[in-house]
């Protein structure tokens, strides 16, 4: 009171101070999470559409293979190999870019988390499983259909 008589004592709790400091980071986390979910849904629907189009264009081939004795699993493996080929190059392009962005973003913090390889492996596994589910849903539907229905028109 003697040094600064007009100044009042203002106190703050440490948890509230930390919450205010990281409020913007929380907002960015929410925005990035929503954007990531939307991008995964858009990519999955695009892959589903690509698989649907490929199966519709090759429906007669599937029917002929089935009539000639091909198994459903053989047809599914054949189409899965063709439609999963874009997943590996996409992952090989996206993983280094994601690592660089994460490393750049983490450098602004005093305490940094390590970027481990299993995070990228999990992302690649999730992308492969999503692509496989989209492809197999269409291929199995076409392989289980009656082949004579589509060959009758010829």
């Amino acid at each position: 009171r003697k040094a600064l008589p007009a100044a009042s004592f203002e106190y703050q709790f440490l948890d509230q101070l930390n919450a205010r400091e990281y409020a913007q980071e929380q907002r960015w986390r929410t925005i990035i999470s929503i954007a990531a979910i939307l991008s995964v849904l858009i990519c999955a629907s695009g892959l589903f559409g690509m698989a649907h189009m490929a199966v519709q264009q090759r429906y007669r081939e599937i029917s002929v293979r089935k009539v000639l004795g091909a198994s459903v699993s053989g047809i599914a493996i054949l189409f899965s190999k063709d439609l999963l080929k874009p997943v590996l190059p996409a992952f090989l392009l996206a993983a280094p870019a994601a690592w660089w962005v994460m490393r750049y973003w983490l450098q602004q913090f005093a305490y940094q988390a390590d970027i481990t390889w299993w995070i990228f492996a999990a992302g690649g596994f999730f992308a492969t499983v999503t692509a496989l589910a989209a492809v197999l849903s269409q291929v199995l539907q076409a392989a289980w259909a009656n082949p004579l229905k589509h060959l009758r028109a010829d």
Side-chain angles (χ1 to χ4, degrees):
R1 290 186 177 164
K2 291 179 183 179
L4 297 170
S8 63
F9 177 70
E10 294 179 15
Y11 66 92
Q12 295 177 355
F13 292 107
L14 185 59
D15 60 341
Q16 293 171 352
L17 183 64
N18 281 338
R20 267 190 305 230
E21 290 290 325
Y22 289 106
Q24 184 177 1
E25 296 298 326
Q26 295 293 335
R27 281 190 295 259
W28 273 110
R29 185 185 75 179
T30 304
I31 291 169
I32 290 173
S33 296
I34 291 170
I37 290 169
L38 286 175
S39 66
V40 167
L41 290 176
I42 290 169
C43 290
S45 66
L47 191 59
F48 182 79
M50 188 174 79
H52 181 73
M53 184 182 73
V55 167
Q56 290 302 319
Q57 288 177 345
R58 295 172 67 181
Y59 222 106
R60 281 199 186 109
E61 177 188 345
I62 293 171
S63 298
V64 168
R65 285 180 184 274
K66 187 135 187 212
V67 167
L68 293 176
S71 66
V72 173
S73 62
I75 294 170
I77 289 171
L78 177 72
F79 274 86
S80 296
K81 279 195 270 184
D82 288 342
L83 293 173
L84 284 177
K85 284 180 185 175
V87 174
L88 181 63
F91 175 72
L92 291 177
L93 287 172
W99 175 80
W100 183 79
V101 169
M102 285 175 56
R103 190 184 62 143
Y104 178 76
W105 180 65
L106 287 172
Q107 284 178 352
Q108 68 181 342
F109 295 103
Y111 299 103
Q112 298 174 2
D114 291 331
I115 304 172
T116 56
W117 65 270
W118 66 267
I119 294 172
F120 298 104
F125 177 75
F126 180 69
T128 304
V129 167
T130 303
L132 199 58
V135 169
L136 286 180
S137 68
Q138 291 298 308
V139 170
L140 291 178
Q141 183 180 7
W144 285 332
N146 186 3
L148 298 178
K149 179 181 172 185
H150 296 283
L151 293 176
R152 208 176 277 161
D154 290 340

